[in-house]
């Protein structure tokens, strides 16, 4: 599975430069899907539209979990779908996604999780991990066996622990604020809502 040219290109020390070069790391005032406010936002779709980066990130995550031999990869829509699908391709296993209906994360479109299946949860970015937790609850309810969580960017700098076998390609301390904690300089900037939960 490993491809040396991908892994050399995706050296962890250069990930932020890759995000900036593809306009995937934005500055401003953002309302995250966690309902917290931040001066920065990772729009992972901007970097994952490039096949070389999508493949490289997916290979790294897939290599981490390949020895456990997942049966299924599941991701929360919309953000995690592209990455999760490619990770599933690299692992050679079935891939599905959960999505919101009337504000609640559900599994639709005829997708199913079979009891006892080894399930890997893949997400592009986590801040509080709320969407991933909802997906994990769905897996548990269906009788699936969650064998790990793979993440591209962990904005909590490793403080959010969703599973004992959790892997993030990059961890960073991206400061975010609650509604009553927003600094004046950030509050003065118009709010953008780029997250999928707020999209129409």
């Amino acid at each position: 599975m490993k491809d040396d040219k991908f892994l050399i290109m995706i050296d962890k020390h250069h990930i932020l430069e890759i995000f900036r070069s593809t306009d995937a790391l934005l500055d401003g005032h953002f309302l995250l899907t966690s309902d917290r406010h931040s001066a920065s936002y990772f729009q992972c779709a901007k970097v994952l539209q490039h096949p070389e980066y999508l493949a490289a990130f997916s290979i790294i995550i897939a290599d981490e979990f390949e020895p456990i031999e997942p049966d299924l990869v599941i991701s929360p829509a919309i953000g995690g779908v592209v990455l999760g699908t490619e990770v599933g391709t690299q692992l050679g296993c079935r891939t599905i996604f959960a999505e919101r209906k009337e504000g609640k994360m559900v599994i639709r479109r005829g997708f199913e999780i079979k009891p006892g299946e080894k399930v890997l949860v893949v997400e592009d970015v986590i801040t509080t991990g709320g969407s991933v937790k909802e997906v994990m609850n769905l897996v548990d309810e269906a009788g699936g066996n969650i064998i790990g969580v793979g993440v591209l960017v962990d904005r909590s700098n490793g403080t959010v622990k969703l599973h004992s076998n959790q892997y993030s390609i990059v961890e960073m301390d991206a400061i975010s604020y609650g509604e009553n904690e927003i600094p004046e300089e950030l509050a003065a900037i118009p709010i953008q809502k780029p997250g999928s939960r707020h999209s129409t």
Side-chain angles (χ1 to χ4, degrees), residues 62-136:
D63 281 347
E64 183 69 21
F65 295 99
E66 184 179 26
I68 310 175
E69 299 181 345
D71 299 309
L72 174 70
V73 172
I74 185 172
S75 299
I78 298 173
V81 174
V82 172
L83 182 64
T85 300
E86 183 63 21
V87 170
T89 298
Q90 297 295 336
L91 289 169
C93 67
R94 193 162 57 92
T95 64
I96 66 174
F97 58 85
E99 59 191 304
R100 291 195 182 279
K101 183 178 181 182
E102 299 177 353
K104 182 180 179 181
M105 194 70 77
V106 296
I107 296 175
R108 305 170 63 194
R109 306 175 190 274
F111 291 146
E112 65 175 338
I113 299 170
K114 300 174 183 177
E117 278 193 308
K118 294 187 291 185
V119 181
L120 173 63
V121 182
V122 173
E123 176 67 300
D124 58 351
V125 181
I126 61 170
T127 301
T128 64
S131 295
V132 172
K133 290 175 186 175
E134 290 181 71
V135 171
M136 293 174 71

